[in-house]
Amino acid sequence: MGSFKGEAVIEMDHRAVTAKFKSPHLDFLRVTERAALLSARWVGKGLKHEADDAACKGMRSALNELDINGTIVIGEGEMDEAPMLYIGEKVGSGDGPEVEIAVDPLEGTNLCANGMPNAIAVLAGCVKGEGKLLHAPDCYMDKIVVGPECKGAIDLSVPARVNITMMHKCLGKKVDELTIGILDRPRHEDLIREIRETGARVHLISDGDLSVALAALDPDSGVDGLMGIGGAPEGVISAAAALCYGGEMQAKFVWSFPEERERAQGMFGGDVDRILHTTDLASGHVQFCATGITGGDMLKGVRYRRDFALTESILMRSKTGTIRRIQTMHRNFKRQEDLD
Ligand code: VTB
């Protein structure tokens, strides 16, 4: 395994790191790694609540070791419905920059429980005043995510086939070489048919559109775009990734009940029915970090080798446009599992 900048840093004492970096960029790596390591113990066991609980515990304990005055802005739910990492929960030592954090400790609980691809531990964060993450309600959102080559060429308001035409031109690929990720849901029957009629390929996923949004941003993943309706919280975190990658995301809320729309109006001003662009969802200096739990389109999952656990993560920030892929060997990972 090569030597990675990130690995050198994570060997250092974390207080030294936060003293050096005003924002907790590289420290976020430990947070998603710990969530991934703990939830990975539940891969394939058919117990999604246990897996999610382990991810939350890992993420929360690692966040609380950071010298930040952190607030969860997108999390596991409201205070009364989630025992930890609920919206508004304070995390960190309280001693440090004010940081807003959107978390998905286990994106793809079913994927993890069933040992299927694309379960990840993920977060996006920003120092208050330097960056912004939309405090989106837990509802659905119609999404399109593409990588940097297609930036400026797609439009959520036009039919999918028009976006496919734009994408194949921008990417310099034949239409039948394009692959679009879509959640396998009855609500996407028409969309799937329309895409297949263009000749493009459909990569159906049972869950985890955030992982596939990440893959859509990466030119080498084999996935060229993500389309369809998925969770809004996952959408905001995907937008943070799109911003860091220089790609593009467009989205539109899909309301299941009128109360959801009213609630959204109370949460943020403006027209809640308009098409949101990347920077409406995530803007300024934001940071993104994800660690694979089960191997997927973008990241390898947690693997074990004798006394080690191996993880793969992606760590990015929009300020500098750095995209780091970090492989870590965790020699003492069993100690981390004892954390409570
Ligand atoms: C969406 C998607 C997520 O769950 O939230 C989905 O964004 C739930 O959609 O990635 P349904 O209600 O249609 O099942 C995930 O797939 C996993 O959290």
Side-chain angles (χ1 to χ4, degrees):
M1 188 176 305
S3 94
F4 292 87
K5 223 175 175 178
E7 277 181 72
V9 174
I10 60 171
E11 292 307 321
M12 294 162 63
D13 175 79
H14 88 272
R15 281 171 199 274
V17 175
T18 39
K20 201 166 157 202
F21 298 95
K22 260 173 76 191
S23 61
H25 175 53
L26 293 163
D27 288 343
F28 280 152
L29 177 63
R30 281 204 199 82
V31 177
T32 57
E33 281 182 348
R34 194 177 293 171
L37 284 168
L38 266 65
S39 55
R41 281 317 208 182
W42 296 96
V43 168
K45 302 272 169 74
L47 298 166
K48 62 180 190 174
H49 296 297
E50 285 78 354
D52 197 37
D53 197 49
C56 289
K57 271 188 187 150
M59 192 167 264
R60 187 201 227 179
S61 73
L63 279 171
N64 283 333
E65 285 172 19
L66 303 186
D67 281 332
I68 57 169
N69 177 3
T71 307
I72 301 296
V73 295
I74 285 182
E76 291 286 289
E78 305 288 337
M79 196 198 293
D80 52 356
E81 61 196 34
M84 58 185 125
L85 296 174
Y86 54 84
I87 297 164
E89 181 173 337
K90 293 284 174 196
V91 290
S93 66
D95 185 15
E98 266 189 77
V99 179
E100 292 196 338
I101 308 164
V103 300
D104 202 344
L106 173 47
E107 157 65 347
T109 45
N110 287 321
L111 300 175
C112 179
N114 295 327
M116 290 167 70
N118 279 327
I120 57 172
V122 58
L123 64 76
C126 60
V127 174
K128 215 173 165 187
E130 292 182 8
K132 239 180 169 177
L133 295 167
L134 186 76
H135 299 183
D138 190 5
C139 61
Y140 289 100
M141 187 178 247
D142 194 10
K143 315 172 186 179
I144 179 165
V145 180
V146 291
E149 291 91 342
C150 300
K151 190 177 174 183
I154 48 116
D155 182 350
L156 190 62
S157 67
V158 304
R161 59 178 155 24
V162 179
N163 285 318
I164 297 282
T165 304
M166 297 308 288
M167 286 173 70
H168 100 85
K169 286 185 183 155
C170 293
L171 291 166
K173 292 185 183 186
K174 293 185 185 140
V175 173
D176 69 359
E177 292 167 352
L178 282 186
T179 300
I180 308 296
I182 304 180
L183 278 168
D184 190 4
R185 298 289 187 277
R187 61 178 178 263
H188 292 148
E189 263 175 33
D190 291 346
L191 177 64
I192 292 167
R193 191 177 318 112
E194 185 181 345
I195 293 172
R196 285 185 175 149
E197 277 168 8
T198 67
R201 303 166 186 204
V202 172
H203 173 46
L204 283 181
I205 47 167
S206 66
D207 264 309
D209 70 350
L210 208 167
S211 281
V212 178
L214 201 53
L217 294 166
D218 182 87
D220 294 325
S221 69
V223 178
D224 301 294
L226 171 89
M227 292 187 191
I229 297 171
E234 289 86 347
V236 173
I237 303 178
S238 303
L243 189 70
C244 294
Y245 239 105
E248 183 173 2
M249 171 158 180
Q250 290 183 18
K252 191 173 184 299
F253 284 111
V254 176
W255 314 113
S256 305
F257 317 97
E259 299 77 45
E260 267 184 5
R261 190 171 173 278
E262 277 163 35
R263 192 155 167 267
Q265 276 172 326
M267 285 172 82
F268 49 90
D271 179 3
V272 295
D273 295 313
R274 73 187 172 90
I275 289 179
L276 302 164
H277 293 254
T278 315
T279 52
D280 295 312
L281 299 160
S283 59
H285 299 160
V286 303
Q287 310 177 7
F288 174 97
C289 189
T291 301
I293 299 169
T294 57
D297 289 301
M298 267 299 268
L299 294 167
K300 287 183 178 164
V302 176
R303 287 140 296 141
Y304 305 96
R305 189 191 295 159
R306 292 181 181 271
D307 294 339
F308 291 91
L310 311 176
T311 55
E312 185 176 41
S313 306
I314 187 162
L315 183 60
M316 320 192 257
R317 58 177 175 158
S318 58
K319 184 178 183 177
T320 51
T322 45
I323 301 169
R324 292 184 168 91
R325 272 178 176 275
I326 297 175
Q327 318 275 340
T328 308
M329 293 176 70
H330 305 262
R331 189 159 48 82
N332 289 327
F333 78 103
K334 291 210 171 90
R335 218 177 50 202
Q336 298 202 5
E337 287 181 355
D338 295 335
L339 281 170
D340 221 340

